[in-house]
Amino acid sequence: MTSKRLCFEPGHKPKCLVIVDDTAEWDRAVYYASRWAIRAGGGVVMLRIIEPEQQSQEWLGVADIMRAEAQEAAEAALDRAAGRANGIAAITPERVIREGAAMEQLLAVIDEDPDIAMLVLAANPGAEGPGPLVNLLAHALGTFPVPVTIISGALSDESVDSLS
């Protein structure tokens, strides 16, 4: 892991990392990160993680098709999220697509970009719980390499505006 964040050093700018997934609340994280980027004079990095399916050797052709479809879906999700960020803050976020285990890929992206100053997630406000990524991170927060901001999925744009 990178021992030092460089986001506020000369020649660098702070960036918010946002996970764009299939949950309904990803929009809240993108909204907050975009507003934060305006105020901090920073940027936004949007990450889409494709978790590989288990496949057997005889189904590799099908696996290749599924991988291509997952890549297309990832690009489409990042297109929507980037459009949202641009509409909010007139910024063009960086886009990253990684394949592998979610926590492993998340930590790798942070390690590779010393300008990432924080991770922004949104929590599902429903009774089913905050969401898979928030649950996954809950066990690692004490050792996580950057601050984690968790936005309630129930907050309106106006509420997020007053907080960011």
Side-chain angles (χ1 to χ4, degrees):
M1 243 352 179
T2 301
S3 60
K4 182 178 179 185
R5 302 276 95 201
L6 301 176
C7 48
F8 292 104
E9 298 291 325
H12 295 267
K13 72 176 183 175
K15 299 176 190 174
C16 245
L17 176 62
V18 178
I19 309 300
V20 178
D21 57 16
D22 293 326
T23 62
E25 58 273 1
W26 68 264
D27 177 74
R28 299 294 75 209
V30 168
Y31 193 91
Y32 180 89
S34 300
R35 296 277 305 160
W36 176 89
I38 293 169
R39 296 212 185 201
V44 175
V45 178
M46 294 183 173
L47 172 62
R48 176 72 175 212
I49 300 171
I50 301 170
E51 294 197 56
E53 300 290 325
Q54 296 287 9
Q55 60 236 352
S56 60
Q57 197 69 19
E58 63 270 10
W59 293 102
L60 286 181
V62 174
D64 289 341
I65 292 169
M66 291 174 64
R67 184 175 290 115
E69 289 173 350
Q71 184 75 24
E72 286 179 28
E75 291 286 351
L78 289 174
D79 285 346
R80 284 190 307 277
R84 179 77 166 126
N86 188 273
I88 296 162
I91 60 172
T92 302
E94 296 176 39
R95 300 159 50 121
V96 179
I97 298 174
R98 300 294 284 262
E99 186 174 338
M103 185 62 82
E104 180 181 308
Q105 295 307 315
L106 176 58
L107 290 171
V109 168
I110 293 169
D111 189 45
E112 293 164 10
D113 189 342
D115 290 342
I116 292 176
M118 89 169 84
L119 171 65
V120 176
L121 301 172
N124 179 351
E128 58 274 4
L133 199 52
V134 174
N135 282 333
L136 181 65
L137 275 166
H139 300 289
L141 286 177
T143 60
F144 210 70
V146 296
V148 178
T149 300
I150 301 174
I151 304 301
S152 168
L155 292 176
S156 67
D157 288 356
E158 295 76 25
S159 295
V160 175
D161 288 347
S162 68
L163 296 169
S164 55

